[in-house]
Amino acid sequence: MTSSVVTHDSARRAPASGAASGADVMSCPPGTAPLDAPEGAPSDGDRPGRGARASLGVVSDEELARLRVVPARHPGRIVLAVLVGLLAAAVLWSFVTNPRWEWGVVAQWFFAESIIRGLLETLKLTVLAGALGFGLGLVLALMRLSKSSLISSVSWTFSWIFRSTPLLVQLLLWYNLGYLYERITLGVPLTDVTLVDTRTSDLMTPMLAAILGLGLHQAAYAAELIRGGILSVDQGQLEAASALGIPARDRSLRIVLPQAMRAILPTAFNEIIGLVKGTSIVYVLAHAELFFTVQLIYGRTQQVLPMLLVATVWYVVITSALSIGQYYIERHYSKGAVRTLPPTPLQRLRARFGRRPVTAGAPA
Amino acid sequence: MSPLTSLLRRTPARAGAPGAAAPSAGATLPSADAPSRGGLVEIRGVHKAFGDLEVLRGIDLTIEPGEVTVILGPSGSGKSTLLRAINHLEPVTSGLISVDGEVIGYRRDGDLLHELREPEVLRQRTAIGMVFQSFNLFAHMTALANVAEAPRRALGVNRKEAEAQARELLALVGLSEKEGAYPRQLSGGQQQRVAIARALALRPKVLLFDEPTSALDPELVEEVLSVIRSLASAGTTLVIVTHEISFARDVADTVVFMDQGRIVEQGPPAQVIDHPAHERTRTFLQRVRTGADAPVDAEPAGPADPSGPAGPDASPADHPRSHSPEDLR
Ligand SMILES: Nc1ncnc2c1ncn2[C@@H]1O[C@H](COP(=O)(O)OP(=O)(O)OP(=O)(O)O)[C@@H](O)[C@H]1O
Ligand SMILES: [Mg+2]
């Protein structure tokens, strides 16, 4: 609804339509034009003549129908936008024109087969280590919140160990597991039945070592982050669910977790994006993911900067895609947490260029 | 004193409860307009202590099927604790509580009470609905989903059926057009009505209300009370903690006055509210009345007067804890 605070532009826009000019609307001092004063507002309660609206007489019905809202302008924002735009253009200009970046080389290698193969390895590592990390992290978080002190301390110990050792050390330990335990044997205890018996070094490929190293390390962090989200959900929600006889599993997965997601998601995407770039650490295992591939190539060609740029631009592309995903996933989980969802960038663009009213306040 | 025999009688597991033989996908619920039979609630020698603090000190109370019981009492007297004990959200220190002869939270075997594991307690709770002061609607679900959730998860009713029933219940509380709204898009009174519909969805034998209107604006109180009034005539056993004295006089079959973890007196409203036998009850009621629904013979209170005509429950919605008369001293 319109209120007396907004500027009415009827004076400018609709002079042709009749003798009554909009000027007298402007003369109505703020606060005395209760166009939409809530009925029965407490302050009105005891005043005689509650229906005083009729006697207002400042705005006639035709005028009311003609009133238009002009959105507030923000000149400061425009100035700031221009400044930021200029700065960005300057940086971009130096970036494009400085020949030392060797953009030609970048373009030549950007879609090279070996680079794409490395990129796919990086994505595979991210997905698998991320799935292991967050899957196990959820289990650890629920364990940590368990009423059983045994279960909760198992979870605590896991996080303690995997958060206190450097990731690099963990990766190298997994990869060199064969040195510590030469064979891995899995059998039924107290019998001679063996299910698996293999040399550790055959089993522990760089890929597996990388997934275990990254995934378990990630799980320790994810556990704390998911637990934090769960703790942020109001206790009353659990109580209401218990009182309704909803089973524990549904209470966690359907009532608490969806609401915890709002707190979890921003940090979770931080972690995932960190993981994308963090996979570059597995170059120590000589696993040919994106970063290792780039290193191999510039080792041969000596074109260090442009090759690093190739890897960097790919990381930027992945991160951007993730950030867009994050926006929409967060939006999905904010349903019910905010009264009205803000429009998506797409909707905002459409509203701006399609000239459709953005708010319900503007009369059609 | 009611016969202890009825306490010992075990009722067979309710049909459709998850504990009983795997609930078929087509488990049906009575339709929303069929009145559910009220349950008999027996509370015997209940004590509850939090550490050294004795909050309930020997409560004995029998609530007949279909009866409406209003519990009054100053803040901290243990009213909420008693309600929460009835559906075992708060296990008691000693004594027992039963609904239709089934001991809540335990399985009785001669002189032994075996503590039940969670699934069985959850099954028992489906017979006991609860409406909270702060609504506690599931914030990420629409009104319809809130009402349909418990039948789906606790009774295994399929989604379509649960939603059809939820629609009926929302209509019952006058919120048909709000089924797609999220709790934050509803007014306090509307939220509380959804919460009542949600509690009704399991067709409980007993419904517990813990100050259902004290988080509401005065104008919204009546819409919730009128829903509760209509339930009172439908035959469900209702236990209501409230500070709305005139409402209590209006709907209650029995009024129970509690103080410091004990029942001071109980009886029909005409007796307890209008002719209280105990000094403690009298002073309590006096304080509620002077702040609240005493006949307004003085000049009407100004709009800024906090002890407005709607009584102590008239605290603004953003101030969830209403001041009970004890707080106003
Ligand atoms: N979990 C708890 N731990 C410790 N003390 C508690 C706990 N829950 C309640 N109490 C105490 O028990 C007493 C009774 O609380 P209860 O909530 O039952 O009061 P009430 O009668 O419902 O009061 P009100 O009218 O203010 O809601 C209070 O002194 C309170 O501090
Ligand atoms: Mg209470």
Side-chain angles (χ1 to χ4, degrees):
Chain A
M1 272 302 290
T2 56
S3 79
S4 55
V5 199
V6 296
T7 329
H8 295 295
D9 68 335
S10 56
R12 267 168 289 151
R13 220 191 265 185
S17 61
S21 100
D24 43 6
V25 177
M26 317 284 272
S27 73
C28 177
T32 60
L35 287 177
D36 53 356
E39 221 160 337
S43 59
D44 271 353
D46 288 316
R47 249 187 257 150
R50 260 184 150 174
R53 306 154 133 246
S55 67
L56 200 67
V58 183
V59 185
S60 71
D61 284 352
E62 305 98 78
E63 275 179 296
L64 198 59
R66 274 204 319 274
L67 296 181
R68 297 282 180 279
V69 174
V70 177
R73 305 242 176 266
H74 304 281
R77 286 188 206 169
I78 297 174
V79 172
L80 199 67
V82 170
L83 284 179
V84 170
L86 285 177
L87 195 68
V91 171
L92 205 67
W93 181 250
S94 90
F95 211 50
V96 172
T97 51
N98 186 339
R100 302 250 167 116
W101 287 111
E102 300 185 69
W103 285 101
V105 180
V106 173
Q108 177 198 333
W109 282 100
F110 197 67
F111 291 110
E113 206 198 319
S114 53
I115 294 286
I116 297 294
R117 229 182 298 123
L119 177 69
L120 289 180
E121 277 310 296
T122 292
L123 288 176
K124 199 159 87 183
L125 266 178
T126 308
V127 170
L128 292 176
L132 175 64
F134 279 88
L136 185 60
L138 174 60
V139 174
L140 286 168
L142 294 175
M143 283 171 68
R144 182 76 190 279
L145 294 169
S146 157
K147 283 195 202 96
S148 148
S149 54
L150 175 72
I151 293 179
S152 120
S153 42
V154 167
S155 163
W156 183 87
T157 311
F158 180 97
S159 291
W160 176 63
I161 293 174
F162 283 86
R163 285 197 305 180
S164 12
T165 39
L167 177 56
L168 196 59
V169 174
Q170 288 181 34
L171 282 169
L172 291 173
L173 274 180
W174 283 115
Y175 190 53
N176 294 306
L177 200 66
Y179 175 75
L180 295 168
Y181 305 96
E182 210 161 312
R183 302 191 75 80
I184 291 182
T185 312
L186 206 69
V188 181
L190 306 178
T191 63
D192 290 335
V193 184
T194 14
L195 301 173
V196 181
D197 181 25
T198 170
R199 279 187 44 183
T200 308
S201 50
D202 293 343
L203 200 69
M204 196 53 74
T205 59
M207 183 71 179
L208 186 62
I211 291 171
L212 280 177
L214 289 169
L216 295 181
H217 186 253
Q218 189 61 57
Y221 284 89
E224 288 300 284
L225 136 69
I226 293 171
R227 189 170 69 94
I230 290 176
L231 290 180
S232 76
V233 175
D234 181 42
Q235 187 69 25
Q237 298 284 310
L238 264 184
E239 204 158 78
S242 305
L244 287 165
I246 295 174
R249 197 180 54 103
D250 290 321
R251 282 203 301 268
S252 301
L253 298 184
R254 288 195 45 96
I255 308 294
V256 175
L257 209 57
Q259 299 186 64
M261 284 303 258
R262 253 175 79 71
I264 293 173
L265 280 172
T267 328
F269 269 93
N270 251 358
E271 294 281 309
I272 293 171
I273 287 169
L275 187 61
V276 172
K277 292 176 292 176
T279 54
S280 60
I281 200 180
V282 308
Y283 81 90
V284 295
L285 307 182
H287 181 68
E289 43 69 60
L290 184 58
F291 192 67
F292 186 74
T293 311
V294 165
Q295 279 186 316
L296 277 185
I297 295 171
Y298 70 59
R300 258 188 294 122
T301 65
Q302 298 304 313
Q303 293 160 320
V304 178
L305 267 185
M307 285 321 291
L308 285 178
L309 211 55
V310 168
T312 305
V313 173
W314 273 121
Y315 285 126
V316 169
V317 168
I318 298 173
T319 306
S320 310
L322 280 172
S323 303
I324 293 170
Q326 173 179 5
Y327 176 86
Y328 283 96
I329 293 174
E330 273 182 20
R331 196 178 135 85
H332 170 80
Y333 280 105
S334 70
K335 257 190 236 161
V338 292
R339 278 201 181 76
T340 39
L341 284 177
T344 63
L346 221 69
Q347 288 168 339
R348 226 174 289 161
L349 272 181
R350 231 181 283 147
R352 164 155 294 197
F353 294 107
R355 286 257 156 254
R356 260 189 278 146
V358 188
T359 60
Chain B
M1 197 67 185
S2 89
L4 210 66
T5 47
S6 67
L7 194 73
L8 306 183
R9 219 187 313 121
R10 297 285 319 275
T11 49
R14 298 191 323 142
S24 64
T28 46
L29 292 159
S31 78
D33 42 31
S36 59
R37 194 182 55 84
L40 167 74
V41 182
E42 303 213 64
I43 301 169
R44 286 288 163 265
V46 162
H47 287 257
K48 172 72 188 180
F50 293 106
D52 287 342
L53 180 68
E54 257 205 284
V55 175
L56 299 178
R57 317 175 183 206
I59 303 279
D60 281 290
L61 183 62
T62 304
I63 300 170
E64 301 292 339
E67 193 178 278
V68 180
T69 303
V70 168
I71 302 179
L72 301 175
S75 182
S77 55
K79 308 179 298 290
S80 300
T81 309
L82 180 62
L83 274 200
R84 293 161 53 79
I86 293 178
N87 71 353
H88 208 62
L89 279 178
E90 205 78 80
V92 298
T93 317
S94 67
L96 49 80
I97 295 173
S98 70
V99 172
D100 280 350
E102 189 176 357
V103 181
I104 300 301
Y106 301 91
R107 183 172 50 78
R108 192 182 161 124
D109 182 10
D111 286 343
L112 293 179
L113 288 176
H114 298 280
E115 196 179 339
L116 290 181
R117 281 147 49 89
E118 194 182 270
E120 283 109 71
V121 177
L122 289 176
R123 181 187 58 78
Q124 292 183 329
R125 284 201 189 123
T126 60
I128 309 169
M130 180 144 186
V131 175
F132 300 84
Q133 178 181 3
S134 48
F135 325 139
N136 290 345
L137 288 178
F138 303 135
H140 61 303
M141 292 182 179
T142 61
L144 188 74
N146 262 284
V147 181
E149 184 69 7
R152 288 179 63 194
R153 304 294 148 190
L155 302 183
V157 177
N158 70 36
R159 180 188 172 138
K160 238 177 93 193
E161 208 168 319
E163 287 189 345
Q165 190 214 11
R167 273 191 197 97
E168 277 180 66
L169 286 167
L170 284 177
L172 201 72
V173 297
L175 286 174
S176 284
E177 75 282 17
K178 293 289 185 189
E179 63 168 65
Y182 286 92
R184 281 202 179 77
Q185 298 164 333
L186 296 172
S187 76
Q190 291 168 338
Q191 288 186 51
Q192 193 59 298
R193 278 143 71 199
V194 174
I196 293 174
R198 182 176 71 171
L200 286 173
L202 292 168
R203 313 262 90 221
K205 304 179 200 173
V206 181
L207 255 181
L208 312 173
F209 292 87
D210 191 0
E211 303 193 32
T213 58
S214 48
L216 299 178
D217 274 348
E219 300 104 287
L220 303 178
V221 167
E222 193 43 45
E223 69 184 45
V224 170
L225 292 185
S226 72
V227 169
I228 299 177
R229 233 177 245 123
S230 68
L231 295 177
S233 51
T236 315
T237 307
L238 304 184
V239 185
I240 307 166
V241 172
T242 183
H243 291 300
E244 299 276 346
I245 303 292
S246 59
F247 172 75
R249 188 190 282 116
D250 196 17
V251 301
D253 297 308
T254 307
V255 174
V256 174
F257 178 73
M258 278 180 71
D259 189 25
Q260 304 192 356
R262 289 201 182 83
I263 292 179
V264 176
E265 64 181 301
Q266 67 183 87
Q271 178 197 320
V272 178
I273 295 181
D274 297 328
H275 305 285
H278 289 258
E279 186 53 36
R280 188 71 194 83
T281 319
R282 219 167 300 150
T283 46
F284 172 80
L285 287 170
Q286 211 143 40
R287 258 196 299 270
V288 178
R289 282 228 186 77
T290 48
D293 53 6
V296 189
D297 39 22
E299 66 277 352
D305 189 336
S307 60
D313 278 5
S315 64
D318 58 349
H319 188 287
R321 193 92 211 110
S322 87
H323 291 287
S324 85
E326 287 294 285
D327 296 329
L328 296 177
R329 270 198 288 196

